[in-house]
Amino acid sequence: MSFVEYGDTIKDGDTAIVFLGHESMFPVKVQHGTVTQTKYGVIRHSTDLIGKKYGSKVTCSKGGWVFILHPTPELWTMNLPHRTQILYSTDISIITMMLELKPGSIVCESGTGSGSLSHALIRTVAPTGHLYTVEFHQQRAEKAREEFREHGVEHLVTVTNQDVCKNGFGVSNIADAVFLDIPSPWEAIGHAKSALKAEGGRICSFSPCIEQVQRTCLAMEEYGFTEINTLEILLRVYNVRTISLQIPDLGKAAEDNSSTGFDSSDPSHQGSLCANLQQGAVQFKSGVPLREVVGHTGYLTFATKS
């Protein structure tokens, strides 16, 4: 099993996603002889999972059923154990696009955190690219190495435990892109410039406060970065529903005929008008926004090394 290479069959040691519904799923490490409890009953790894195909419908001990899904960076973002605040797919998608990442790209990242963005970056640059990720916290760095090894992507990533603001990324003039998610990104801009390739490398800084953005932009300008641009990505979801609206009373039928351009002498037009007025309401499909919308997460500042 690998997060970047799809496998058909569930094997001992794999990480799989138990899917109970769109709002209910969780990861599980498949191990021979182990059982997993769900609200629909017990899942026995030896008989219910190992050897089955990913995407299979598994019946639990109480008669309910779940789907077992192959892990992807998107599913991992929704289910990973939180060691820090994480980036979600809305921001990850624009980061990947604006940094112009592709298979074979070299990327530097700080900090690693819970590894949400890291998995997406690894999947994007595979199979010939590489991610150099720096984490200040020693325990989080060790946990990230363990997860990358379990997920079959350790050959695509190098985890370093150090302070990026003081010691940099440990590489020079090879990175196609740099991503910063640290409290004081302006202190790491010089090291980011050193890590980027000679010309055309891209940088992105994620900061929740506009004051951080201001200082980061000044540092980018000082170090000669160009095309400095700050974005905020807000996701607004619409539900498609059937809406019923009353037909307004616009007066006499003759006045309606003249205002709509219908010929009142035409019997077919008279019949349709009468039918609409008798019905009193009309139904149609409409997009309705949710009452609660996800708010501000952070500002994304992009720039190019000239």
Side-chain angles (χ1 to χ4, degrees):
M1 186 278 303
S2 171
F3 272 55
V4 297
E5 296 177 359
Y6 184 80
D8 289 331
T9 306
I10 304 172
K11 299 181 177 63
D12 189 12
D14 282 3
T15 298
I17 305 297
V18 179
F19 181 89
L20 293 81
H22 289 289
E23 302 297 329
S24 179
M25 62 184 91
F26 59 90
V28 61
K29 184 174 182 179
V30 180
Q31 292 179 315
H32 186 76
T34 303
V35 298
T36 297
Q37 295 283 349
T38 73
K39 63 182 180 181
Y40 301 126
V42 172
I43 301 174
R44 296 174 175 82
H45 294 200
S46 300
T47 56
D48 297 334
L49 298 184
I50 297 176
K52 299 291 181 64
K53 289 185 175 296
Y54 278 107
S56 296
K57 183 177 179 180
V58 174
T59 302
C60 304
S61 61
K62 293 182 180 179
W65 47 267
V66 299
F67 287 106
I68 307 300
L69 305 181
H70 192 285
T72 65
E74 290 77 16
L75 289 175
W76 185 245
T77 291
M78 297 170 64
N79 295 280
L80 59 79
H82 286 234
R83 300 183 288 273
T84 60
Q85 289 289 337
I86 69 169
L87 290 174
Y88 290 92
S89 297
T90 305
D91 287 316
I92 291 174
S93 60
I94 197 72
I95 290 169
T96 303
M97 182 188 74
M98 295 294 287
L99 289 182
E100 303 174 1
L101 301 182
K102 59 185 181 301
S105 295
I106 305 297
V107 187
C108 293
E109 174 197 27
S110 183
T112 312
S114 301
S116 173
L117 177 64
S118 303
H119 283 80
L121 295 177
I122 291 169
R123 195 262 309 273
T124 302
V125 304
T128 56
H130 201 84
L131 171 66
Y132 294 91
T133 182
V134 178
E135 173 57 53
F136 175 78
H137 194 276
Q138 182 178 358
Q139 291 180 340
R140 288 201 293 263
E142 293 174 353
K143 185 61 178 178
R145 289 192 192 97
E146 179 184 344
E147 286 181 349
F148 293 143
R149 183 169 56 254
E150 291 178 352
H151 298 164
V153 296
E154 72 276 7
H155 62 291
L156 296 170
V157 57
T158 299
V159 182
T160 305
N161 173 218
Q162 64 187 28
D163 186 352
V164 70
C165 295
K166 295 180 179 179
N167 307 114
F169 294 93
V171 296
S172 299
N173 302 320
I174 64 169
D176 297 289
V178 169
F179 176 80
L180 298 174
D181 183 6
I182 54 178
S184 53
W186 56 89
E187 296 180 0
I189 298 300
H191 294 295
K193 183 177 181 179
S194 299
L196 286 169
K197 60 187 180 181
E199 186 178 358
R202 295 278 287 165
I203 184 174
C204 174
S205 174
F206 176 90
S207 297
C209 301
I210 195 64
E211 293 80 7
Q212 294 170 301
V213 174
Q214 292 171 337
R215 296 189 66 175
T216 302
C217 289
L218 290 174
M220 288 179 175
E221 189 175 32
E222 179 183 350
Y223 280 95
F225 284 90
T226 59
E227 300 178 343
I228 301 173
N229 186 26
T230 298
L231 309 176
E232 182 184 20
I233 311 302
L234 298 178
L235 178 65
R236 189 174 188 184
V237 178
Y238 282 77
N239 285 336
V240 178
R241 297 179 180 176
T242 300
I243 304 296
S244 179
L245 293 179
Q246 295 293 323
I247 296 177
D249 184 3
L250 301 178
K252 297 179 181 180
E255 296 175 354
D256 292 342
N257 292 345
S258 61
S259 63
T260 57
F262 284 144
D263 183 1
S264 58
S265 62
D266 189 336
S268 62
H269 287 165
Q270 290 178 351
S272 63
L273 283 171
C274 291
N276 286 335
L277 292 173
Q278 290 175 359
Q279 185 179 6
V282 61
Q283 291 185 337
F284 59 93
K285 295 289 185 181
S286 176
V288 181
L290 301 181
R291 292 184 178 180
E292 296 182 359
V293 180
V294 177
H296 170 75
T297 57
Y299 300 102
L300 294 170
T301 301
F302 297 91
T304 304
K305 182 179 179 180
S306 63

